[in-house]
């Protein structure tokens, strides 16, 4: 369970945002704040404390260190590094959604803002009694019904989201696509703020000798393992930029059936890595990151992080990724394999890598995220 004890409280380092990470350095260069119990407080609540949701929560807390951030969470099985805890004054980790919901309902919160992240935490917070004077903020991080498969239990979650649409004061969308989804539920645009990820872009790309096609995420239906498995089979035997045959890695873990499919297609499933190990692996090994998910709320953090460090990306065309202009978008695994082969044959990897870095630098900045969060929370950050 994410390398952390269950039912524990962990104290972070507060406004020393992100420790010695690149994110922390960038935030601390931009903002100096002294930690005090009198700071306006934000309580973050999620049942999905792992992978992208945990990273986004830590980003939000680190981007506004003038505020006191605490978290009430139940963890998933991903590795959550201690650096994820750093921006929070305290993180209380519970065993499951039921316990999280019960603890939240008993909570005597004095936080000015309750920010719930992901669908089920959104239900727990919006159906509970509202703490006096608190502003309720909801960030879905991919609405559960986006799967659009009628035979899954998630198909009724659209009705649930519609029924609860008036129970939050503000909504944080991670992309224009997710903002449009919220508007179609009948939520006024005036209540919706797009909070894009923040990615620091290194000044220079470190020299590397990559040999792998990589993807990152939970091995599950949403992430479309069959797409990556098919692309790997089509690329088998392809020679990388340094003359070695390409290797194929899925960084993550999950469904055993899909894991077997990947392994039978020549893909190594690594299991979860903490963020430092993940980024080191991508920087050192990835010739290209191939993203083939069925749906996402917005541009996935793993995709943007790869772009920020100069790793080229090829992605399946889905609404939440389609507004990234620098990367090749494809319809299926055959086209993905062809795009990778074309980049290798034409020497286009370096040009694509620089275009990726430029887009992240221009569109996913700290200043933009701070401004969006200040609007979302309606708290003074000066």
């Amino acid at each position: 369970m994410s390398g952390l004890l269950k039912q524990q409280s962990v104290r972070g380092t507060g406004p020393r945002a992100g420790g010695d990470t690149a994110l922390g350095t960038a935030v601390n260069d931009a903002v100096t704040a002294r930690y005090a119990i009198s700071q306006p407080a934000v309580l973050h609540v999620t049942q999905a404390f792992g992978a992208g949701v945990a990273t986004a929560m830590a980003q939000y807390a680190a981007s506004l260190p003038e505020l006191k951030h605490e978290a009430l969470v139940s963890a998933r099985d991903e590795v959550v590094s201690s650096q994820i805890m750093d921006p929070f004054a305290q993180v209380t980790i519970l065993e499951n959604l039921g316990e999280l919901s019960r603890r939240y309902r008993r909570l005597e919160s004095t936080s000015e803002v309750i920010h719930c992240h992901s669908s089920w935490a959104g239900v727990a917070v919006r159906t509970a009694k509202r703490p006096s004077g608190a502003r309720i903020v909801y960030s879905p991080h991919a609405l559960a019904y986006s799967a659009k498969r009628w035979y899954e239990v998630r198909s009724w979650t659209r009705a649930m989201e519609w029924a609860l649409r008036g129970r939050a004061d503000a909504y944080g969308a991670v992309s224009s696509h997710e903002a449009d989804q919220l508007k179609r539920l009948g939520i006024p645009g005036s209540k919706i703020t797009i909070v894009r990820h923040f990615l620091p872009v290194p000044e220079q790309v470190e020299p590397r000798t990559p040999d792998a096609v990589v993807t990152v995420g939970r091995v599950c239906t949403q992430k479309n393992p069959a797409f990556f498995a098919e692309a790997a089979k089509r690329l088998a035997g392809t020679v990388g930029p340094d003359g070695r045959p390409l290797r194929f890695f899925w960084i993550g873990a999950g469904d055993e059936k899909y894991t077997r499919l990947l392994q039978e297609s020549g893909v190594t499933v690594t299991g979860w890595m903490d963020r430092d190990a993940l980024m080191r692996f991508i920087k050192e090994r990835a010739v290209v990151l191939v993203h083939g998910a069925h749906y996402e709320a917005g541009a996935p953090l793993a995709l943007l992080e790869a772009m920020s460090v100069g790793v080229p990306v090829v992605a399946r065309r889905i609404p939440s990724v389609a507004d990234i202009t620098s990367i090749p978008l494809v319809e299926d695994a055959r086209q993905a394999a062809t795009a990778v082969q074309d980049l290798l044959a034409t020497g286009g990897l370096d040009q694509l890598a620089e275009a990726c870095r430029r887009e992240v630098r221009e569109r996913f900045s700290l200043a933009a995220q701070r401004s969006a969060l200040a609007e979302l929370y309606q708290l003074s950050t000066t």
Side-chain angles (χ1 to χ4, degrees):
M1 179 173 166
S2 72
L4 297 166
L5 295 174
K6 299 175 183 178
Q7 302 182 36
Q8 68 171 329
S9 292
V10 180
R11 292 195 177 274
T13 58
R16 176 60 192 169
D20 295 325
T21 63
L23 170 61
T25 300
V27 173
N28 287 316
D29 285 347
V31 181
T32 300
R34 183 166 56 190
Y35 180 60
I37 197 66
S38 61
Q39 286 174 275
V42 180
L43 175 65
H44 299 266
V45 183
T46 190
Q47 88 295 344
F49 195 62
V53 173
T55 302
M57 286 172 57
Q59 253 192 29
Y60 296 174
S63 289
L64 289 180
E66 308 95 319
L67 308 180
K68 177 185 176 184
H69 297 267
E70 296 182 336
L72 179 67
V73 307
S74 60
R76 290 163 56 165
D77 59 354
E78 294 94 329
V79 174
V80 177
S81 72
S82 60
Q83 291 172 338
I84 291 290
M85 309 293 180
D86 283 352
F88 297 98
Q90 182 167 310
V91 179
T92 301
I93 304 168
L94 304 172
E95 187 162 358
N96 53 49
L97 173 62
E99 188 177 349
L100 175 75
S101 182
R102 288 190 293 273
R103 177 70 67 89
Y104 178 77
R105 290 171 186 272
R106 297 196 305 267
L107 194 66
E108 295 293 334
S109 175
T110 58
S111 298
E112 284 88 340
V113 174
I114 310 291
H115 190 166
C116 48
H117 302 259
S118 201
S119 296
W120 298 111
V123 172
V125 169
R126 289 180 294 164
T127 57
K129 182 180 178 181
R130 177 189 291 259
S132 178
R135 178 176 175 84
I136 303 298
V137 173
Y138 172 39
S139 290
H141 299 284
L143 288 153
Y145 63 82
S146 296
K148 296 181 181 177
R149 290 184 294 277
W150 65 268
Y151 54 85
E152 289 192 349
V153 68
R154 291 185 176 192
S155 63
W156 54 266
T157 60
R158 189 182 194 284
M160 178 183 68
E161 292 285 1
W162 181 85
L164 295 175
R165 68 194 186 283
R167 300 295 297 273
D169 300 299
Y171 291 80
V174 296
S175 67
S176 55
H177 168 63
E178 189 170 67
D180 289 341
Q181 286 183 302
L182 292 169
K183 290 175 184 176
R184 287 195 291 270
L185 289 170
I187 297 165
S190 59
K191 283 190 171 187
I192 302 169
T193 300
I194 298 175
V195 185
R196 298 193 189 279
H197 301 307
F198 159 54
L199 282 299
V201 178
E203 288 298 320
Q204 294 182 329
V205 176
E206 299 173 9
R208 59 199 197 99
T209 55
D211 66 340
V213 177
V214 173
T215 198
V216 181
R218 177 174 287 273
V219 181
C220 63
T221 301
Q222 179 213 339
K223 297 298 185 182
N224 199 4
F227 181 99
F228 193 76
E230 178 64 20
K233 287 193 289 188
R234 289 178 175 274
L235 287 167
T238 300
V239 175
D242 66 351
R244 288 178 292 172
L246 290 176
R247 300 183 64 187
F248 306 93
F249 293 92
W250 185 297
I251 303 174
D255 185 276
E256 292 183 4
K257 177 184 68 176
Y258 288 131
T259 298
R260 287 195 300 271
L261 171 66
L262 289 164
Q263 292 169 338
E264 290 167 0
S265 302
V267 178
T268 299
V269 180
T270 66
W272 293 109
M273 300 180 184
D274 66 33
R275 187 179 181 280
D276 285 348
L278 168 65
M279 292 308 299
R280 185 165 57 251
F281 189 97
I282 289 175
K283 284 189 286 188
E284 293 176 358
R285 301 292 300 275
V287 174
V288 61
L289 184 143
V290 172
H291 183 269
H294 283 298
Y295 69 94
E296 301 277 6
L301 267 171
L303 182 153
L304 294 172
E305 286 178 326
M307 292 172 62
S308 74
V309 296
V311 172
V313 170
V314 172
R316 181 171 176 267
R317 187 186 301 276
I318 55 176
S320 55
V321 175
D323 64 347
I324 297 181
T325 60
S326 61
I327 64 176
L329 299 177
V330 299
E331 304 298 333
D332 54 32
R334 179 186 60 80
Q335 290 184 8
T338 299
V340 173
Q341 290 167 334
D342 288 347
L343 287 167
L344 289 166
T346 61
L349 289 168
D350 290 343
Q351 183 178 356
L352 176 56
E354 186 51 41
C356 287
R357 281 164 43 81
R358 183 167 55 250
E359 181 166 13
V360 172
R361 185 185 297 113
E362 292 173 355
R363 297 185 59 201
F364 298 88
S365 69
L366 172 61
Q369 188 177 85
R370 280 179 53 79
S371 176
L373 287 169
E375 178 182 342
L376 191 67
Y377 293 161
Q378 294 290 294
L379 294 175
S380 173
T381 58
T382 59

